[in-house]
Amino acid sequence: PISLITFPEYTVPNMEFTSLISYAPLVNQSIERIYDQDGDYVETVSQVKRESENHAQISSIEDLLPDNTLDIKEYKYPSDLGDNLMSNLVQMNRISEPVEIRYFKQNSTQEDLIAYKKTDFDLYNGLVLPHAEKVAYGNSQLEERLIYHEYDELGNITQINKSKDFPISYLRGYSNGYVIAKLENVSYSSILSSTITNLKILSNLDDDNCLSGEGCDEELLRQGLNDLRELFPDAMISSYTYDPLIGMTSQTDPPGI
């Protein structure tokens, strides 16, 4: 269309505007061939399906194997599931990661459920965040394999637990941009808030790069992290320092090396 566009100081008369739309074609099928030294091959044909009315994400992938059996993976996304937490994820446009995945094996006579993975969500500080990763094999009940116990006010994870294992806690610094300590066998609630605050302050003041020496802010942070180790002698603690936007400048493993 021909139009007149007026800006505060400029007038652009009689300009024609054309809409340009570009896209990349979606892959619906792929073929993988593995050759031997004689030139013979086995072939796997993968069919990618997008059949949901709610989105254009992959709903399933079917791999036809050389023995004529099918490996099938079925995906469910927030828009496929109707509870309030899933609706909140859709409203925030967090729609690309599958919430449920089912794995099937199919032959000419039957289809068997091999495994089922599910991510449960919950509210933390008003944010919808993962609460647990669950897995079931065959027709067994879902079991929690990874639990996200705590997050900070920005949605950064502060404590996880693997199934029937010790807690793992994380401290963040540099304005919450980087993990400065990973504490295995330590619950986040057992770390004094004054200790956390002090380490955050030391990291925020770290604007240099050094391995030792008086007056070096990075070394003061490392000393603070070493003091943290002394508070939890039975824990395995890894610590890190950074130059923000550049990268890690030091890493200290649990033995303190």
Side-chain angles (χ1 to χ4, degrees), residues 6-54:
T6 302
F7 297 96
E9 298 181 4
Y10 304 97
T11 298
V12 185
N14 298 325
M15 292 190 66
E16 183 174 348
F17 298 90
T18 303
S19 297
L20 297 177
I21 300 175
S22 62
Y23 65 94
L26 298 175
V27 175
N28 295 318
Q29 184 186 78
S30 64
I31 299 174
E32 179 186 62
R33 291 176 177 173
I34 300 177
Y35 290 83
D36 62 19
Q37 59 185 5
D38 298 321
D40 298 322
Y41 64 85
V42 293
E43 182 177 270
T44 299
V45 180
S46 298
Q47 297 284 347
V48 178
K49 297 184 178 181
R50 298 173 175 84
E51 299 177 331
S52 174
E53 297 179 354
N54 301 314

Side-chain angles (χ1 to χ4, degrees), residues 127-188:
L127 302 174
V128 181
L129 297 166
H131 169 68
E133 304 286 350
K134 297 181 176 180
V135 178
Y137 294 99
N139 294 314
S140 63
Q141 296 294 315
L142 282 167
E143 296 182 358
E144 291 180 338
R145 294 303 177 93
L146 182 64
I147 304 171
Y148 303 92
H149 272 285
E150 295 184 52
Y151 294 86
D152 65 16
E153 66 278 5
L154 298 178
N156 298 309
I157 187 69
T158 56
Q159 182 185 325
I160 64 172
N161 273 73
K162 296 181 180 179
S163 177
K164 301 177 182 178
D165 207 345
F166 50 73
I168 302 174
S169 298
Y170 300 91
L171 301 184
R172 301 183 72 89
Y174 299 95
S175 300
N176 288 321
Y178 299 87
V179 171
I180 58 174
K182 174 184 176 182
L183 301 89
E184 301 179 68
N185 200 28
V186 177
S187 63
Y188 191 78

Side-chain angles (χ1 to χ4, degrees), residues 80-91:
D80 297 318
L81 306 168
D83 62 53
N84 290 334
L85 292 176
M86 295 298 101
S87 297
N88 287 340
L89 290 177
V90 173
Q91 291 173 7

Side-chain angles (χ1 to χ4, degrees), residues 55-211:
H55 55 75
Q57 308 280 23
I58 295 173
S59 56
S60 66
I61 298 176
E62 297 182 356
D63 295 329
L64 179 60
L65 304 179
D67 61 0
N68 286 322
T69 62
L70 278 175
D71 280 351
I72 304 171
K73 294 186 285 289
E74 293 184 353
Y75 302 91
K76 295 291 185 183
Y77 300 86
S79 56
D80 297 318
L81 306 168
D83 62 53
N84 290 334
L85 292 176
M86 295 298 101
S87 297
N88 287 340
L89 290 177
V90 173
Q91 291 173 7
M92 292 184 288
N93 203 34
R94 292 167 55 190
I95 56 176
S96 62
E97 292 296 323
V99 178
E100 298 180 5
I101 307 176
R102 289 177 171 84
Y103 302 84
F104 297 90
K105 172 73 76 173
Q106 184 184 89
N107 58 31
S108 59
T109 59
Q110 66 183 34
E111 180 178 276
D112 296 319
L113 176 63
I114 304 301
Y116 171 34
K117 296 174 63 178
K118 180 183 180 184
T119 303
D120 282 349
F121 287 78
D122 207 342
L123 280 173
Y124 296 87
N125 302 314
L127 302 174
V128 181
L129 297 166
H131 169 68
E133 304 286 350
K134 297 181 176 180
V135 178
Y137 294 99
N139 294 314
S140 63
Q141 296 294 315
L142 282 167
E143 296 182 358
E144 291 180 338
R145 294 303 177 93
L146 182 64
I147 304 171
Y148 303 92
H149 272 285
E150 295 184 52
Y151 294 86
D152 65 16
E153 66 278 5
L154 298 178
N156 298 309
I157 187 69
T158 56
Q159 182 185 325
I160 64 172
N161 273 73
K162 296 181 180 179
S163 177
K164 301 177 182 178
D165 207 345
F166 50 73
I168 302 174
S169 298
Y170 300 91
L171 301 184
R172 301 183 72 89
Y174 299 95
S175 300
N176 288 321
Y178 299 87
V179 171
I180 58 174
K182 174 184 176 182
L183 301 89
E184 301 179 68
N185 200 28
V186 177
S187 63
Y188 191 78
S189 60
S190 68
I191 309 171
L192 292 176
S193 59
S194 58
T195 298
I196 297 173
T197 299
N198 181 58
L199 290 172
K200 286 180 178 291
I201 291 173
L202 288 174
S203 70
N204 292 340
L205 293 174
D206 174 17
D207 59 359
D208 52 23
N209 185 349
C210 63
L211 295 177

